[in-house]
Amino acid sequence: MEKNKITNCKIAIIGGSAGSLQALLQILPFLENPISFAIVIVVHRKSSDEQTLEDLIDLKSKIKVKLVEDKVKLQTGFVYIAPSNYHLLFEKEETLSLDTSEKINYSRPSIDVSFESAAEVYGSNLIGILLSGSNSDGTVGMKAIQAAGGITVVQNPLSAEMSFMPNNAILHTKPDYVLSTEEILDFIKGINKESF
């Protein structure tokens, strides 16, 4: 794999659906604190799942989880997780907002909605990472990140519990990197450093 030369990242946004929790738990607990960027996680969740995911990741991760509330200011060094039953949007003032408009790809939060919104605000300072899942959400968002000059990473379908989502993104976007879960961990560790 090529050396990671990404030194201007403000946000790494990670999207996933079925099977992505397993990948997240192979990545987040092994990241060292502090980090020089924010991590934003957008995964498909049941609307009844209130804070279970936040609590689990906060427990397992060395990097602190910040609760996402409407108009909260995004800060480097934290993990943010899109709450269930809301689309997560990014605003020019580097704040997060929550939206209850219709589901996209049968999902709220929608990965596409968050990826496209982040691309508009952060452009080339954005890295989009798409994990395991069983529908096509995320592909349109990955295209938006690429068009804005950001970097795109897709989990290798061979390492994904559900390969449809990463396969679909690979087929339609030609991502910058296709990496196994372990390689994604190394990739994130190398963000804003000269190389890894």
Side-chain angles (χ1 to χ4, degrees):
M1 181 175 53
E2 300 171 35
K3 294 278 186 195
N4 176 4
K5 301 275 190 186
I6 299 152
T7 56
N8 63 342
C9 175
K10 290 187 177 179
I11 294 183
I13 184 167
I14 304 173
S17 187
S20 62
L21 179 59
Q22 178 185 342
L24 288 169
L25 292 177
Q26 292 172 345
I27 296 167
L28 295 173
F30 303 100
L31 295 174
E32 294 300 324
N33 195 24
I35 56 171
S36 60
F37 53 96
I39 295 175
V40 179
I41 296 170
V42 182
V43 294
H44 296 165
R45 312 166 60 171
K46 295 177 184 167
S47 52
S48 59
D49 172 21
E50 290 180 3
Q51 271 201 242
T52 314
L53 182 61
E54 286 88 340
D55 292 342
L56 177 62
I57 289 176
D58 196 33
L59 183 68
K60 300 276 186 185
S61 172
K62 298 181 184 93
I63 301 162
K64 283 290 169 202
V65 172
K66 257 195 181 296
L67 185 64
V68 173
E69 296 176 316
D70 198 38
K71 306 303 180 188
V72 72
K73 182 89 172 164
L74 192 75
Q75 296 176 287
T76 59
F78 291 95
V79 173
Y80 295 84
I81 302 169
S84 62
N85 219 25
Y86 291 93
H87 294 308
L88 182 64
L89 302 172
F90 297 80
E91 298 181 339
K92 297 283 182 198
E93 304 79 28
E94 297 197 357
T95 56
L96 297 171
S97 67
L98 300 175
D99 179 78
T100 56
S101 60
E102 66 184 59
K103 293 182 178 183
I104 307 291
N105 290 310
Y106 311 101
S107 304
R108 191 174 54 224
S110 159
I111 300 164
D112 279 336
V113 167
S114 295
F115 278 17
E116 288 177 301
S117 177
E120 280 182 34
V121 174
Y122 290 97
S124 62
N125 301 122
L126 177 67
I127 296 170
I129 301 171
L130 191 64
L131 302 176
S132 171
S134 56
N135 74 12
S136 61
D137 198 15
T139 295
V140 170
M142 293 293 262
K143 286 181 180 176
I145 292 170
Q146 288 178 324
I151 300 293
T152 56
V153 179
V154 173
Q155 183 178 2
N156 189 321
L158 297 175
S159 75
E161 191 176 313
M162 296 295 224
S163 62
F164 185 88
M165 188 177 279
N167 264 327
N168 193 65
I170 291 166
L171 186 63
H172 293 100
T173 70
K174 297 182 182 166
D176 296 296
Y177 299 90
V178 177
L179 306 176
S180 69
T181 312
E182 295 78 12
E183 289 170 331
I184 291 172
L185 171 61
D186 285 342
F187 179 91
I188 295 172
K189 283 180 176 178
I191 292 172
N192 291 345
K193 296 175 183 171
E194 284 306 309
S195 64
F196 64 81

